[in-house]
Amino acid sequence: IQVVSTQKNAVALDLDVANNRVFWCDRFHRKIYSAFIHEASDPSQQVPLVDSALQSPVGLALDWLQHNLYWTDSGDKSISVASVDGTKRRVLISTELSEPRAIALDPHHGFMYWSDWGTQAKIEKAGMNGVDRQVLVSDNIVWPNGITLDVANRRLYWVDSKLHLIASVDLNGAHRRTHLSSAERLGQPYALAVFEDRIYWTDREREAVFTANRLTGQDIHTLAEHLNDPHDIVVFHQLRQPQGPDSCNLGSMANGGCEYLCLKAPQITEHSPKYTCACPDGQDLGPDMRGYVAQSSDEAVLLSEPLHLLPSTTPSNPTHTLNPSDPHTHNLSLSPPLPPALSVPRMPVVLLSVPVISRHGLVLPLPIVATVVFGLLCAGVYLVWRNWRRNSTKSMNFDNPVYRKTTGEGEEDEIHIGRTDAMGHHTHHHTYPSGVGVGVVGAGGGTCPQFIALPLGGSMPDPGTHWYTEQPMLSTAK
């Protein structure tokens, strides 16, 4: 039975079983369409959902719980998401993708899976909000054209057109198993589906659809043949899309309170958030993480070359105007605009942030606020410590003793440092403050005198230490 006719190059499709709808990508028209299955043969009932900024959409998957549509684009090498009506969309992943192809979703646990048959072929996994990305399969894989999930048994299946095999791993990338490997049986397998104990796949070389036992790889049958370049294949059954809660509409707030997109978050632990809000491309979430702030060209300038600042003629208080015509879109206009010399290349290296005025009020970049608060805190701690150190430190000042060097043959140069009780006996001696001397306890238990002679260089040092029982003084003659 032909469901959808008059298609140029339909390469990917998925189903909404509960609502009896079909979604598909047309690479020739560069659009994503939708229609009710019983009306899909009528071209007037085929509704284009995404009809702009598509280059080569090749993979498609429906989140039947949160009602979002995901697709891969091998032209701009990205993975994107849109609401099921196509009014809201966002690019989730656009880095380290070479030739993204098939995509599959696990809406109950919040993960998406996709294949990449580029120079470094691999199968990857990430949260349905684009976070927690990781590689599942990267060894012994060349052309992983099609993937599918066996949700009941928690496994991921793929076909490799170059190696002529069908294999699977668990949803963490472990316990790999090859179900069928045969260049005769698998000419150029392109897409596959799994339901209960059967595997179904399309073969572009043989222009047919085949099935086999998924446990043994045996019992191979031809379901349809003489097809014109068959691409994708899906199974239409209620068990294929088990029902569950819509995480974005569990509470009293519709769409999770998100102003734009509400995306299922990966359920890594029991404390993981159920969903996250997402904003349009080029815009940022506001402080409440539900609304978004329009990002103007003077809020963030991404540069791939050294920055050259030009003299600015922007007034000190530029006017910011929000466009209220669209309830989901807030356009921020600045008057006057930035000079044309400041452009935004594709390779981001430097990010410059300045405050913008939004419907949430003045938003300051968090790094600047944190730096200022940390600096003030450090300055306060230093001032308190310095004041405590100054108040708790006691010091005594001593006058430099007046001494004169006395030399003699066969005698060492010495400085005699002593303490006098009065100045009446020797008027030319230096007076030391009382209590400066150090008492040393000798072996006999008594206290040694408080004066010591220190030898200076110039002659052989005296191996013995000279102790004086009287107050020594600096003599002027031998």
Side-chain angles (χ1 to χ4, degrees):
I1 300 175
Q2 189 178 56
V3 177
V4 182
S5 60
T6 67
Q7 296 302 298
K8 289 288 186 178
N9 192 6
V11 295
L13 75 154
D14 204 355
L15 300 169
D16 184 352
V17 177
N19 295 299
N20 203 34
R21 294 181 67 186
V22 58
F23 302 83
W24 70 94
C25 297
D26 193 307
R27 193 160 55 179
F28 177 82
H29 294 293
R30 298 182 181 181
K31 294 180 181 181
I32 298 177
Y33 295 89
S34 174
F36 290 101
I37 293 179
H38 63 281
E39 300 175 346
S41 59
D42 184 358
S44 64
Q45 301 299 319
Q46 300 171 6
V47 180
L49 299 179
V50 182
D51 57 2
S52 63
L54 291 179
Q55 294 189 24
S56 184
V58 291
L60 188 66
L62 174 71
D63 173 6
W64 63 90
L65 295 182
Q66 282 71 226
H67 310 290
N68 292 315
L69 200 60
Y70 292 73
W71 71 90
T72 60
D73 193 318
S74 62
D76 61 8
K77 306 183 187 310
S78 66
I79 298 175
S80 302
V81 62
S83 56
V84 75
D85 58 2
T87 58
K88 309 168 188 176
R89 60 184 288 187
R90 178 179 177 83
V91 176
L92 291 180
I93 298 176
S94 60
T95 60
E96 299 182 8
L97 292 175
S98 180
E99 294 291 341
R101 235 293 293 156
I103 185 170
L105 302 180
D106 179 7
H108 290 275
H109 298 88
F111 285 98
M112 62 179 178
Y113 305 80
W114 69 91
S115 63
D116 189 327
W117 60 275
T119 54
Q120 295 182 344
K122 56 191 172 181
I123 297 176
E124 293 188 80
K125 167 186 178 181
M128 290 171 60
N129 56 1
V131 303
D132 297 317
R133 179 178 178 180
Q134 56 183 298
V135 176
L136 292 185
V137 182
S138 60
D139 298 330
N140 298 322
I141 187 171
V142 184
W143 288 352
N145 278 326
I147 65 172
T148 191
L149 293 180
D150 181 359
V151 178
N153 296 289
R154 310 294 298 161
R155 293 189 69 83
L156 180 144
Y157 290 75
W158 76 91
V159 291
D160 194 310
S161 300
K162 183 69 173 179
L163 301 179
H164 307 284
L165 61 82
I166 298 176
S168 70
V169 292
D170 64 25
L171 298 185
N172 293 318
H175 303 99
R176 181 169 177 168
R177 178 185 175 189
T178 300
H179 298 266
L180 180 61
S181 177
S182 171
E184 179 182 357
R185 293 289 189 177
L186 301 172
Q188 188 182 353
Y190 192 79
L192 80 163
V194 174
F195 184 69
E196 294 183 339
D197 61 347
R198 305 295 295 181
I199 302 176
Y200 306 86
W201 72 90
T202 61
D203 195 315
R204 297 179 64 185
E205 181 181 289
R206 299 177 180 274
E207 297 184 337
V209 175
F210 299 92
T211 181
N213 186 291
R214 71 173 178 86
L215 300 176
T216 64
Q218 303 298 320
D219 192 21
I220 300 175
H221 298 291
T222 302
L223 294 183
E225 55 187 352
H226 308 300
L227 303 176
N228 183 17
D229 195 15
H231 280 72
D232 208 357
I233 183 172
V234 293
V235 173
F236 186 89
H237 197 281
Q238 291 182 349
L239 295 179
R240 179 180 169 269
Q241 295 180 345
Q243 293 302 304
D246 179 357
S247 298
C248 292
N249 291 284
L250 291 177
S252 59
M253 294 184 296
N255 199 40
C258 301
E259 183 179 352
Y260 199 63
L261 283 170
C262 179
L263 305 178
K264 178 71 174 182
Q267 302 303 290
I268 301 174
T269 67
E270 60 180 4
H271 303 293
S272 298
K274 299 300 180 183
Y275 66 90
T276 57
C277 298
C279 54
D281 293 328
Q283 311 214 19
D284 298 322
L285 287 174
D288 60 356
M289 302 304 292
R290 288 186 171 90
Y292 61 90
V293 180
Q295 186 181 61
S296 64
S297 57
D298 72 337
E299 180 194 4
V301 180
L302 303 180
L303 301 174
S304 60
E305 296 178 357
L307 177 65
H308 301 284
L309 295 179
L310 299 178
S312 175
T313 59
T314 305
S316 58
N317 295 317
T319 60
H320 300 256
T321 306
L322 292 178
N323 181 9
S325 61
D326 188 348
H328 301 290
T329 304
H330 298 274
N331 297 322
L332 186 65
S333 61
L334 297 176
S335 177
L338 285 177
L342 285 179
S343 60
V344 185
R346 295 182 180 177
M347 295 295 292
V349 173
V350 180
L351 176 64
L352 303 179
S353 298
V354 298
V356 296
I357 303 298
S358 71
R359 65 184 182 87
H360 302 288
L362 182 63
V363 181
L364 291 177
L366 290 179
I368 296 178
V369 176
T371 302
V372 172
V373 172
F374 182 77
L376 293 176
L377 181 62
C378 292
V381 172
Y382 172 76
L383 292 176
V384 171
W385 174 82
R386 189 177 67 173
N387 185 54
W388 172 83
R389 181 70 181 271
R390 180 180 298 174
N391 294 335
S392 62
T393 303
K394 297 180 180 181
S395 60
M396 293 185 296
N397 297 326
F398 299 94
D399 294 331
N400 292 329
V402 178
Y403 69 92
R404 180 178 298 175
K405 179 181 179 183
T406 303
T407 59
E409 297 179 359
E411 184 178 334
E412 297 183 7
D413 296 332
E414 295 179 348
I415 297 176
H416 302 277
I417 303 174
R419 178 171 58 118
T420 58
D421 295 328
M423 294 294 293
H425 301 290
H426 303 281
T427 58
H428 60 282
H429 294 159
H430 181 78
T431 303
Y432 284 82
S434 60
V436 176
V438 179
V440 180
V441 179
T447 302
C448 296
Q450 299 176 345
F451 304 97
I452 185 171
L454 304 176
L456 298 176
S459 60
M460 295 298 293
D462 190 350
T465 303
H466 299 276
W467 294 93
Y468 293 85
T469 58
E470 297 180 355
Q471 301 172 0
M473 60 197 73
L474 296 176
S475 56
T476 59
K478 183 176 179 181

